[in-house]
Amino acid sequence: GFDIIEATRASTSLEVEAQLQMYRPNFDTFDQLKALGVSLISLPIETTGEMIFQQITYIKEKLELKVGVWAWQGVPTTAFEQFIHPYVDIIEYESRAPFWVKPKPGQSPHTMDPIMVKTVRKLHDMIVEAGMEDRIELMEDGGLNAGNVSEFIAAGMTVGEFSSPLLKGPNGKLKPGSGDIAAAVKKLRTVMDEASSKYRTADGKLK
């Protein structure tokens, strides 16, 4: 993981997120990620442990990085209530993924259930109720594509995680330099821009 982050940082000036998928991450891990040039560290609600808010505070105050929290589908929305807080920059909710099943060519390994849209809307409403719509981003992670991203934007999603739509096609992996990846990005961006114009105000809030 660290090698990938180091190589990514050397290749871009964009923000780099480390979404931690580990049991009880510690302060040494955060320090290493800071040194590698990470911009955002997202902590897993299920496995970080009872020190999670102390760790959020450390990342925010000591390391001066952005902080997120994330959880898999199945974790109730009430688990996020304590994290709708000025120190949290993004809330991420990830759809289930049966990794033991080989995905079909061009498809995501994640399974997108209808309840995911409802869950994103609930999280959005919680953020709005706390008066933090302008400071906390909301991400759906996994299973997004040009065919379903609009309904998530309509539900309040402000950030999407995409890999399969930008790297895979009906015939397998897209080849760098062929123009296929650029075309996939353009297609997805067009759909997202149209949905944002339809469902969001000029200052970025949901209509």
Side-chain angles (χ1 to χ4, degrees):
F2 287 163
D3 290 343
I4 294 174
I5 290 173
E6 186 175 21
T8 301
R9 171 47 67 214
S11 303
T12 182
S13 59
L14 297 174
E15 291 191 345
V16 176
E17 175 189 2
Q19 187 197 67
L20 302 187
Q21 301 197 19
M22 59 195 300
Y23 184 73
R24 290 186 174 273
N26 57 49
F27 293 94
D28 288 341
T29 300
F30 307 146
D31 290 342
Q32 291 179 68
L33 291 171
K34 164 78 172 184
L36 289 171
V38 162
S39 315
L40 162 67
I41 298 175
S42 293
L43 303 174
I45 289 177
E46 301 106 310
T47 59
T48 295
E50 71 282 356
M51 293 287 288
I52 188 169
F53 232 102
Q54 282 80 352
Q55 293 178 331
I56 289 172
T57 303
Y58 179 81
I59 295 168
K60 195 72 175 180
E61 291 187 354
K62 180 68 165 56
L63 301 183
E64 298 182 331
L65 298 177
K66 291 183 177 180
V67 189
V69 293
W70 76 277
W72 282 101
Q73 177 182 348
V75 172
T77 55
T78 53
F80 289 91
E81 287 181 345
Q82 291 289 322
F83 304 104
I84 300 178
H85 184 279
Y87 273 16
V88 175
D89 296 282
I90 186 168
I91 287 173
E92 306 172 6
Y93 201 70
E94 185 163 356
S95 60
R96 64 187 176 95
F99 290 114
W100 55 92
V101 178
K102 185 177 181 179
K104 297 178 181 179
Q107 293 188 5
S108 169
H110 289 76
T111 298
M112 186 64 79
D113 295 319
I115 196 172
M116 287 298 294
V117 178
K118 297 178 182 178
T119 302
V120 167
R121 183 60 194 231
K122 287 181 180 179
L123 291 170
H124 164 78
D125 291 346
M126 290 165 61
I127 293 170
V128 171
E129 185 178 357
M132 296 189 184
E133 187 180 7
D134 61 342
R135 59 193 305 174
I136 297 180
E137 302 281 5
L138 177 58
M139 175 198 284
E140 197 288 324
D141 185 347
L144 289 174
N145 55 55
N148 62 19
V149 68
S150 294
E151 58 183 327
F152 282 93
I153 292 174
M157 182 190 80
T158 59
V159 177
E161 186 279 332
F162 303 93
S163 55
S164 296
L166 305 180
L167 300 175
K168 301 177 183 178
N171 299 318
K173 294 181 180 179
L174 303 182
K175 296 181 179 180
S178 66
D180 291 341
I181 295 177
V185 171
K186 182 178 180 180
K187 176 183 177 181
L188 187 59
R189 185 179 291 277
T190 297
V191 173
M192 294 175 67
D193 286 345
E194 290 175 352
S196 295
S197 297
K198 182 176 181 179
Y199 299 114
R200 292 199 166 274
T201 62
D203 60 355
K205 295 183 179 181
L206 203 63
K207 292 180 180 179

